[in-house]
């Protein structure tokens, strides 16, 4: 969760100043860093919500996306065009990530646009990356434990 605005350069990750990991050890994150490590095999629902503002200019196209291994996860990118500095755009997306047995996954939220972007917490969602893991049906995201092979 980020409480303060941060200016994120193009193609750079968003840093998360605090953690809100409720329990378990399948999702690891160090406060002040960008990467979330998924240490257990499983199927994860990853979501983010944030407000964005251009660092300068008008009619600026901004985008955020989730990265895994340095590449944008298909379907995880959100985009908006913001009329001017001082105007906020709201971004959110969700995607499914599978971590196969014997591996781990690393997820980061990144500024995927060609412009430096100010990122602030979304008033309803507090600028977070949230995830859950389920060994049950793909549609069931209430089980926050991971399954093991």
């Amino acid at each position: 969760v980020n409480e303060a605005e941060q200016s994120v350069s193009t193609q750079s990750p968003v840093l998360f100043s605090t953690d809100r990991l409720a329990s378990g050890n399948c999702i690891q994150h160090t406060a002040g860093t960008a990467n979330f490590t998924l240490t257990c095999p499983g199927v994860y629902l990853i979501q983010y919500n944030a407000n964005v503002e251009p660092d300068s200019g008008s009619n600026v196209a901004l985008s955020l996306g989730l990265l895994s291994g340095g590449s944008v996860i298909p379907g995880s990118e959100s985009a908006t065009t913001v009329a001017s500095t001082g105007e906020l755009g709201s971004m959110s997306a969700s995607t499914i990530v599978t971590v196969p047995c014997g591996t781990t996954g690393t997820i980061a939220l990144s500024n995927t646009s060609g412009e430096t972007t100010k990122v602030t917490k979304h008033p309803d969602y507090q600028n977070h990356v949230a995830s859950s893991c389920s060994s049950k049906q793909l549609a069931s995201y209430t089980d926050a434990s991971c399954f093991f092979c």
Side-chain angles (χ1 to χ4, degrees), residues 15 21 30-31 48 52 61 74 93 96-97 100 121 127 143-144:
L15 304 179
L21 301 176
T30 302
Y48 68 85
V52 294
I96 300 292
V97 173
K121 69 178 183 175
N127 187 22
D143 179 5

Side-chain angles (χ1 to χ4, degrees), residues 2 6-16 32-35 48 50 52 62-68 70-72 77 91 107-119 127 129:
N2 287 328
Q6 68 177 286
S7 187
V8 182
S9 299
T10 183
Q11 307 303 314
S12 295
V14 176
L15 304 179
F16 288 83
T33 66
N35 290 338
Y48 68 85
V52 294
L62 302 176
S63 60
L64 295 174
L66 292 169
L67 303 183
S68 178
S71 298
V72 175
E77 205 165 18
M91 296 206 185
I107 304 295
L109 179 62
S110 182
N111 173 8
T112 56
S113 66
E115 303 290 333
T116 297
T117 303
K118 295 176 185 175
V119 179
N127 187 22
V129 169

Side-chain angles (χ1 to χ4, degrees), residues 30-42:
T30 302
T33 66
N35 290 338
F36 291 79
T37 304
L38 310 174
T39 61
C40 301

Side-chain angles (χ1 to χ4, degrees), residues 42-45 95-98 132-142:
V43 178
Y44 292 81
L45 170 64
T95 193
I96 300 292
V97 173
T98 301
S132 61
C133 171
S134 178
S135 61
K136 299 179 182 173
Q137 300 174 35
L138 193 58
S140 172
Y141 301 114
T142 58

Side-chain angles (χ1 to χ4, degrees), residues 2 49-51 90-92 120-128:
N2 287 328
N49 302 279
N51 282 337
S90 180
M91 296 206 185
S92 64
T120 59
K121 69 178 183 175
H122 188 284
D124 296 330
Y125 301 103
Q126 304 209 12
N127 187 22
H128 71 284

